[in-house]
Amino acid sequence: MTPAAPRLSLRPGQPGDLPFLQSLAPRLVASAPAWRDRAAMLAEYDELFTAALTDPEPGSAVLVALLDGQSAGFTLLYWHPHDQGVFIKDLAVSADAEGQGVGRFLLTAIEEWGRQQGAQEIMLKTSWFNARAREFYAAVGFREDHVALVLRLDG
């Protein structure tokens, strides 16, 4: 008998998800260029995730993917009505859940959420150095559009 395929489900983020989101923050900053201060980036994520879960901005959402009932990934989204688009601020999958369809499941949920808002497009940013993420997004139909250049003024 073959084992049952893993079951994926989705739910809105809740304040109790803060430790889970925080546990994935290092994955979000791992591919940042060497000149970025990863400790500062992680501190910013603590504030961002806390606000997103406890005092969300209008038009934002945190969606948590569950794999067999366990938190496996999340996305933080913002609706931009003027641009008629959804911006994926963050999307991360736990190391244990990699390769099990969680990322694609979240992207499907994002598409559905965006369609409910009336979106015409979904946009995201990822580090130029994160080849794996860029390949993943390209494989599901995202196309590169903008290049961001950064000049640090603090040193």
Side-chain angles (χ1 to χ4, degrees):
M1 180 178 209
T2 58
R7 290 185 307 270
L8 290 164
S9 58
L10 187 75
R11 65 169 173 74
Q14 306 163 358
D17 291 317
L18 183 59
F20 174 67
L21 272 61
Q22 290 170 323
S23 76
L24 295 181
R27 295 179 66 86
L28 294 168
V29 304
S31 64
W35 54 267
R36 290 277 189 193
D37 181 346
R38 286 185 174 91
M41 292 172 75
L42 289 172
E44 289 173 7
Y45 272 120
D46 281 343
E47 292 176 28
L48 175 68
F49 294 158
T50 299
L53 292 168
T54 62
D55 187 23
E57 292 182 25
S60 69
V62 175
L63 304 177
V64 176
L66 306 172
L67 179 64
D68 292 327
Q70 299 298 312
S71 298
F74 82 96
T75 187
L76 172 56
L77 308 171
Y78 293 96
W79 164 239
H80 293 273
H82 177 69
D83 299 326
Q84 293 186 314
V86 173
F87 179 69
I88 302 173
K89 168 62 177 116
D90 291 299
L91 186 151
V93 173
S94 69
D96 293 341
E98 276 188 12
Q100 298 187 56
V102 176
R104 287 182 187 261
F105 176 77
L106 281 167
L107 284 176
T108 299
I110 293 165
E111 286 182 41
E112 184 177 315
W113 188 84
R115 289 182 200 288
Q116 291 173 359
Q117 309 305 314
Q120 293 183 3
E121 68 180 16
I122 298 171
M123 193 169 125
L124 61 88
K125 295 192 300 186
T126 191
S127 171
W128 179 259
F129 303 97
N130 192 345
R132 187 172 180 197
R134 291 174 57 217
E135 290 170 8
F136 170 75
Y137 291 120
V140 296
F142 281 80
R143 292 178 275 185
E144 292 181 359
D145 186 306
H146 294 87
V147 174
L149 304 173
V150 178
L151 173 64
R152 295 295 302 203
L153 300 177
D154 59 356

